[in-house]
Amino acid sequence: MKKITLALNWKLYLNELESIEFVEKINHSKNQFDLIDLEIYPSATAIRSVRNVLNHSSIKIGLQDFSIFEKGAFTGSLSLSSIEIDCCIVGHSERRDFYNENDNLILKKLQISNAKKISTILCVGESLNEKEEGLSKERIKSQLSILKNLDIQIPLTIAYEPIWAIGTGEVPSKEYISDMLSTIKSELNTLYSHQKNSALRLFYGGSVDETNIRNLSDIVLLDGFLIGGASLNAKKFVDIIKKSSI
Ligand code: PEP
Protein backbone atom coordinates (compact mmCIF):
# COMPACT_ATOMS: atom_id res chain seq x y z
CA MET A 1 0.00 0.00 0.00
CA LYS A 2 1.36 3.46 -0.86
CA LYS A 3 2.20 5.87 1.92
CA ILE A 4 -0.32 8.66 1.81
CA THR A 5 -0.02 12.19 3.14
CA LEU A 6 -2.56 13.75 5.45
CA ALA A 7 -2.52 17.55 5.43
CA LEU A 8 -4.42 19.17 8.30
CA ASN A 9 -5.86 22.59 7.59
CA TRP A 10 -6.83 24.11 10.93
CA LYS A 11 -8.05 27.34 9.33
CA LEU A 12 -9.00 29.86 12.07
CA TYR A 13 -10.31 27.20 14.44
CA LEU A 14 -7.59 26.26 16.92
CA ASN A 15 -5.87 29.01 18.88
CA GLU A 16 -2.31 28.62 20.14
CA LEU A 17 -3.22 26.77 23.36
CA GLU A 18 -5.70 24.48 21.60
CA SER A 19 -3.08 23.71 18.96
CA ILE A 20 -0.54 22.77 21.64
CA GLU A 21 -3.12 20.57 23.34
CA PHE A 22 -3.86 18.83 20.02
CA VAL A 23 -0.24 17.98 19.27
CA GLU A 24 0.41 16.87 22.83
CA LYS A 25 -2.46 14.41 22.44
CA ILE A 26 -1.35 13.06 19.07
CA ASN A 27 2.22 12.72 20.34
CA HIS A 28 0.90 9.79 22.41
CA SER A 29 0.03 7.96 19.17
CA LYS A 30 3.37 8.61 17.50
CA ASN A 31 3.80 4.97 16.48
CA GLN A 32 0.89 5.37 14.04
CA PHE A 33 2.69 8.16 12.20
CA ASP A 34 5.22 5.89 10.49
CA LEU A 35 2.47 4.72 8.19
CA ILE A 36 1.64 8.14 6.79
CA ASP A 37 3.24 11.50 6.11
CA LEU A 38 1.75 14.38 8.04
CA GLU A 39 1.58 18.10 7.32
CA ILE A 40 -0.05 20.48 9.79
CA TYR A 41 -1.26 23.96 8.86
CA PRO A 42 -2.03 25.71 12.17
CA SER A 43 -2.83 29.39 12.66
CA ALA A 44 0.41 31.26 12.04
CA THR A 45 0.48 32.35 15.69
CA ALA A 46 0.66 28.70 16.79
CA ILE A 47 3.37 27.52 14.39
CA ARG A 48 6.33 28.00 16.70
CA SER A 49 4.61 26.33 19.68
CA VAL A 50 3.41 23.40 17.58
CA ARG A 51 6.92 22.90 16.27
CA ASN A 52 8.35 22.98 19.80
CA VAL A 53 5.88 20.37 21.07
CA LEU A 54 6.50 18.10 18.08
CA ASN A 55 10.20 18.44 18.74
CA HIS A 56 12.05 17.41 15.57
CA SER A 57 9.49 14.89 14.40
CA SER A 58 9.10 14.33 10.66
CA ILE A 59 5.76 16.15 10.69
CA LYS A 60 5.88 19.17 8.40
CA ILE A 61 4.42 22.49 9.49
CA GLY A 62 3.14 25.13 7.12
CA LEU A 63 1.34 28.39 6.47
CA GLN A 64 -2.28 28.34 5.29
CA ASP A 65 -1.63 31.44 3.20
CA PHE A 66 0.84 34.32 2.90
CA SER A 67 1.17 37.79 1.45
CA ILE A 68 2.93 38.50 -1.85
CA PHE A 69 4.86 41.21 0.01
CA GLU A 70 8.04 40.06 1.64
CA LYS A 71 8.58 42.87 4.18
CA GLY A 72 7.47 46.44 4.73
CA ALA A 73 4.44 48.61 5.43
CA PHE A 74 1.78 45.94 5.00
CA THR A 75 -0.13 45.98 8.28
CA GLY A 76 -1.53 42.63 9.31
CA SER A 77 0.32 40.65 6.65
CA LEU A 78 2.54 37.59 6.91
CA SER A 79 5.17 36.53 4.42
CA LEU A 80 6.92 33.24 3.84
CA SER A 81 9.87 34.73 5.72
CA SER A 82 7.83 35.71 8.78
CA ILE A 83 8.30 32.37 10.48
CA GLU A 84 10.18 29.12 9.84
CA ILE A 85 7.96 26.71 7.89
CA ASP A 86 8.30 23.60 5.71
CA CYS A 87 5.34 24.07 3.40
CA CYS A 88 2.39 26.29 2.47
CA ILE A 89 -1.06 26.34 0.86
CA VAL A 90 -2.16 28.71 -1.90
CA GLY A 91 -5.49 29.23 -3.62
CA HIS A 92 -7.76 27.68 -1.00
CA SER A 93 -11.38 28.33 -1.99
CA GLU A 94 -11.91 30.31 1.23
CA ARG A 95 -9.12 32.68 0.14
CA ARG A 96 -10.61 32.89 -3.34
CA ASP A 97 -14.13 33.55 -1.98
CA PHE A 98 -13.67 35.67 1.16
CA TYR A 99 -10.57 37.58 0.12
CA ASN A 100 -11.29 37.81 -3.62
CA GLU A 101 -8.01 36.13 -4.51
CA ASN A 102 -7.85 35.63 -8.26
CA ASP A 103 -5.65 33.40 -10.39
CA ASN A 104 -3.22 36.25 -10.99
CA LEU A 105 -2.54 36.71 -7.31
CA ILE A 106 -2.40 32.96 -6.74
CA LEU A 107 0.21 32.68 -9.49
CA LYS A 108 2.32 35.39 -7.80
CA LYS A 109 2.17 33.43 -4.53
CA LEU A 110 3.18 30.24 -6.32
CA GLN A 111 6.09 32.04 -7.95
CA ILE A 112 7.23 33.21 -4.51
CA SER A 113 7.02 29.79 -2.84
CA ASN A 114 8.68 28.27 -5.90
CA ALA A 115 11.55 30.76 -5.75
CA LYS A 116 11.97 30.01 -2.04
CA LYS A 117 11.72 26.26 -2.74
CA ILE A 118 8.93 25.75 -0.22
CA SER A 119 6.71 22.75 -0.85
CA THR A 120 3.29 24.08 -1.87
CA ILE A 121 -0.30 22.84 -2.11
CA LEU A 122 -2.33 24.57 -4.81
CA CYS A 123 -6.08 24.12 -4.27
CA VAL A 124 -8.46 23.94 -7.21
CA GLY A 125 -12.13 23.03 -7.37
CA GLU A 126 -15.49 23.90 -8.87
CA SER A 127 -18.53 25.48 -7.19
CA LEU A 128 -21.90 23.77 -6.96
CA ASN A 129 -23.24 25.97 -9.76
CA GLU A 130 -20.34 25.10 -12.02
CA LYS A 131 -20.86 21.41 -11.28
CA GLU A 132 -24.58 21.63 -12.03
CA GLU A 133 -23.88 23.43 -15.29
CA GLY A 134 -21.40 20.72 -16.33
CA LEU A 135 -18.48 23.14 -16.08
CA SER A 136 -16.38 21.36 -13.45
CA LYS A 137 -13.57 20.36 -15.79
CA GLU A 138 -13.48 23.76 -17.50
CA ARG A 139 -13.12 25.41 -14.11
CA ILE A 140 -10.26 23.15 -13.05
CA LYS A 141 -8.45 23.57 -16.35
CA SER A 142 -8.70 27.33 -16.12
CA GLN A 143 -7.41 27.34 -12.53
CA LEU A 144 -4.50 25.12 -13.59
CA SER A 145 -3.65 27.25 -16.61
CA ILE A 146 -1.62 29.62 -14.38
CA LEU A 147 0.94 26.85 -14.10
CA LYS A 148 2.16 27.50 -17.62
CA ASN A 149 3.84 30.56 -16.13
CA LEU A 150 5.62 28.53 -13.48
CA ASP A 151 8.82 26.64 -13.99
CA ILE A 152 8.37 24.36 -11.01
CA GLN A 153 11.39 23.78 -8.81
CA ILE A 154 9.52 22.60 -5.73
CA PRO A 155 7.44 19.68 -4.59
CA LEU A 156 4.05 20.90 -5.84
CA THR A 157 0.76 19.33 -4.84
CA ILE A 158 -2.56 19.94 -6.54
CA ALA A 159 -5.42 19.50 -4.07
CA TYR A 160 -8.71 18.88 -5.82
CA GLU A 161 -11.29 20.40 -3.50
CA PRO A 162 -14.80 20.76 -4.93
CA ILE A 163 -16.22 23.78 -3.08
CA TRP A 164 -19.56 22.04 -2.63
CA ALA A 165 -17.84 19.26 -0.64
CA ILE A 166 -15.89 21.49 1.75
CA GLY A 167 -17.38 21.38 5.23
CA THR A 168 -20.73 20.09 3.92
CA GLY A 169 -20.48 16.36 4.65
CA GLU A 170 -21.10 15.72 0.96
CA VAL A 171 -18.38 13.64 -0.64
CA PRO A 172 -18.25 13.00 -4.40
CA SER A 173 -18.19 9.38 -5.56
CA LYS A 174 -14.82 7.75 -6.09
CA GLU A 175 -15.55 7.70 -9.83
CA TYR A 176 -16.19 11.44 -9.84
CA ILE A 177 -12.98 12.17 -7.92
CA SER A 178 -10.97 9.81 -10.15
CA ASP A 179 -12.33 11.47 -13.27
CA MET A 180 -11.41 14.93 -11.98
CA LEU A 181 -7.94 13.76 -10.94
CA SER A 182 -7.40 12.27 -14.40
CA THR A 183 -8.33 15.62 -15.91
CA ILE A 184 -5.83 17.33 -13.62
CA LYS A 185 -3.16 14.77 -14.48
CA SER A 186 -3.63 15.20 -18.21
CA GLU A 187 -3.53 19.00 -17.89
CA LEU A 188 -0.26 18.67 -15.98
CA ASN A 189 1.05 16.34 -18.69
CA THR A 190 0.55 19.07 -21.26
CA LEU A 191 2.44 21.57 -19.09
CA TYR A 192 5.40 19.70 -17.70
CA SER A 193 7.91 17.04 -18.66
CA HIS A 194 7.36 13.48 -17.52
CA GLN A 195 10.14 13.87 -14.97
CA LYS A 196 8.59 16.97 -13.38
CA ASN A 197 5.13 15.45 -13.49
CA SER A 198 6.09 12.36 -11.65
CA ALA A 199 7.19 14.53 -8.71
CA LEU A 200 3.80 16.25 -8.46
CA ARG A 201 1.31 14.99 -5.90
CA LEU A 202 -2.47 14.90 -6.14
CA PHE A 203 -4.68 15.30 -3.07
CA TYR A 204 -8.40 15.28 -2.52
CA GLY A 205 -10.11 17.53 0.05
CA GLY A 206 -13.76 17.98 1.05
CA SER A 207 -15.49 16.38 4.07
CA VAL A 208 -12.91 13.63 4.50
CA ASP A 209 -13.26 11.96 7.90
CA GLU A 210 -12.75 8.68 9.74
CA THR A 211 -15.85 7.15 8.11
CA ASN A 212 -14.86 7.65 4.47
CA ILE A 213 -11.06 7.84 4.31
CA ARG A 214 -10.56 4.08 4.00
CA ASN A 215 -12.81 3.93 0.96
CA LEU A 216 -11.30 7.04 -0.66
CA SER A 217 -7.74 5.79 -0.13
CA ASP A 218 -8.32 3.27 -2.94
CA ILE A 219 -8.34 6.00 -5.58
CA VAL A 220 -5.30 5.16 -7.65
CA LEU A 221 -4.18 8.68 -8.54
CA LEU A 222 -4.39 9.97 -4.98
CA ASP A 223 -1.29 10.74 -2.93
CA GLY A 224 -3.06 12.26 0.04
CA PHE A 225 -5.87 14.28 1.58
CA LEU A 226 -6.37 17.84 2.73
CA ILE A 227 -8.59 17.68 5.80
CA GLY A 228 -10.33 20.59 7.52
CA GLY A 229 -13.16 19.94 10.01
CA ALA A 230 -12.24 16.36 10.88
CA SER A 231 -8.67 17.36 11.71
CA LEU A 232 -9.65 19.57 14.63
CA ASN A 233 -10.25 16.84 17.17
CA ALA A 234 -7.19 14.82 18.19
CA LYS A 235 -9.05 11.59 18.92
CA LYS A 236 -10.97 11.76 15.66
CA PHE A 237 -7.76 12.48 13.87
CA VAL A 238 -5.94 9.48 15.33
CA ASP A 239 -8.93 7.40 14.11
CA ILE A 240 -8.45 8.87 10.64
CA ILE A 241 -4.78 7.86 10.69
CA LYS A 242 -5.67 4.32 11.76
CA LYS A 243 -8.34 3.97 9.07
CA SER A 244 -6.17 5.45 6.32
CA SER A 245 -3.37 3.02 6.88
CA ILE A 246 -5.19 -0.30 7.30
C1 PEP B 1 -10.64 22.34 3.47
O1 PEP B 1 -11.11 23.38 3.88
O2 PEP B 1 -9.58 22.33 2.81
C2 PEP B 1 -11.37 21.11 3.74
C3 PEP B 1 -11.09 20.04 3.05
O3 PEP B 1 -12.32 21.19 4.72
P1 PEP B 1 -13.27 19.99 5.23
O4 PEP B 1 -12.42 18.79 5.43
O5 PEP B 1 -13.86 20.52 6.50
O6 PEP B 1 -14.30 19.78 4.16
Side-chain angles (χ1 to χ4, degrees):
M1 171 174 266
K2 72 183 163 198
K3 197 173 185 189
I4 60 164
T5 300
L6 301 182
L8 287 60
N9 177 10
W10 287 349
K11 310 189 186 195
L12 188 52
Y13 282 115
L14 302 185
N15 65 25
E16 187 185 17
L17 293 180
E18 291 161 339
S19 303
I20 293 171
E21 216 175 290
F22 183 106
V23 281
E24 278 170 346
K25 283 187 188 151
I26 65 166
N27 260 345
H28 296 309
S29 308
K30 254 188 188 146
N31 54 335
Q32 307 281 347
F33 300 166
D34 298 342
L35 309 167
I36 47 147
D37 287 320
L38 263 188
E39 294 176 11
I40 302 184
Y41 296 87
S43 284
T45 49
I47 286 179
R48 169 87 48 194
S49 311
V50 166
R51 193 183 284 291
N52 287 343
V53 177
L54 289 172
N55 194 16
H56 303 301
S57 83
S58 59
I59 299 176
K60 296 194 166 57
I61 303 174
L63 272 177
Q64 299 168 12
D65 180 57
F66 55 91
S67 160
I68 55 169
F69 303 110
E70 173 77 13
K71 240 182 199 323
F74 303 104
T75 303
S77 300
L78 265 175
S79 77
L80 282 185
S81 314
S82 297
I83 192 158
E84 187 195 342
I85 43 148
D86 308 304
C87 45
C88 60
I89 301 176
V90 298
H92 191 281
S93 61
E94 286 153 16
R95 299 295 312 177
R96 294 179 192 259
D97 285 353
F98 303 141
Y99 299 91
N100 293 322
E101 293 200 359
N102 59 24
D103 285 331
N104 245 344
L105 183 74
I106 292 163
L107 172 62
K108 283 190 191 149
K109 293 187 179 191
L110 271 176
Q111 286 168 331
I112 293 168
S113 61
N114 193 47
K116 289 188 173 291
K117 298 202 170 33
I118 292 180
S119 169
T120 305
I121 298 178
L122 166 66
C123 300
V124 298
E126 78 282 8
S127 66
L128 185 58
N129 267 350
E130 287 160 343
K131 175 182 167 252
E132 287 175 349
E133 286 171 25
L135 297 173
S136 302
K137 290 186 182 173
E138 296 321 304
R139 180 70 182 129
I140 302 301
K141 286 182 192 172
S142 108
Q143 288 173 325
L144 289 174
S145 67
I146 57 169
L147 293 176
K148 60 177 179 278
N149 300 306
L150 188 79
D151 177 21
I152 26 169
Q153 309 292 336
I154 44 163
L156 178 68
T157 302
I158 309 297
Y160 169 57
E161 298 211 300
I163 299 170
W164 50 273
I166 295 181
T168 59
E170 244 186 274
V171 180
S173 67
K174 284 205 280 193
E175 293 67 32
Y176 188 92
I177 297 174
S178 297
D179 190 31
M180 294 303 286
L181 294 178
S182 301
T183 303
I184 292 172
K185 193 89 189 160
S186 57
E187 280 304 292
L188 296 173
N189 280 335
T190 65
L191 292 168
Y192 299 122
S193 67
H194 176 71
Q195 194 202 354
K196 285 209 162 153
N197 254 318
S198 51
L200 299 178
R201 300 180 302 176
L202 296 184
F203 286 6
Y204 166 76
S207 297
V208 174
D209 62 20
E210 71 284 9
T211 67
N212 54 32
I213 193 155
R214 176 61 253 146
N215 185 35
L216 295 172
S217 300
D218 291 346
I219 299 173
V220 178
L221 286 173
L222 264 189
D223 300 298
F225 297 93
L226 185 52
I227 307 177
S231 75
L232 300 171
N233 175 296
K235 188 190 163 312
K236 219 176 187 187
F237 180 65
V238 172
D239 280 350
I240 292 180
I241 296 183
K242 287 183 187 156
K243 295 271 166 50
S244 64
S245 47
I246 291 171

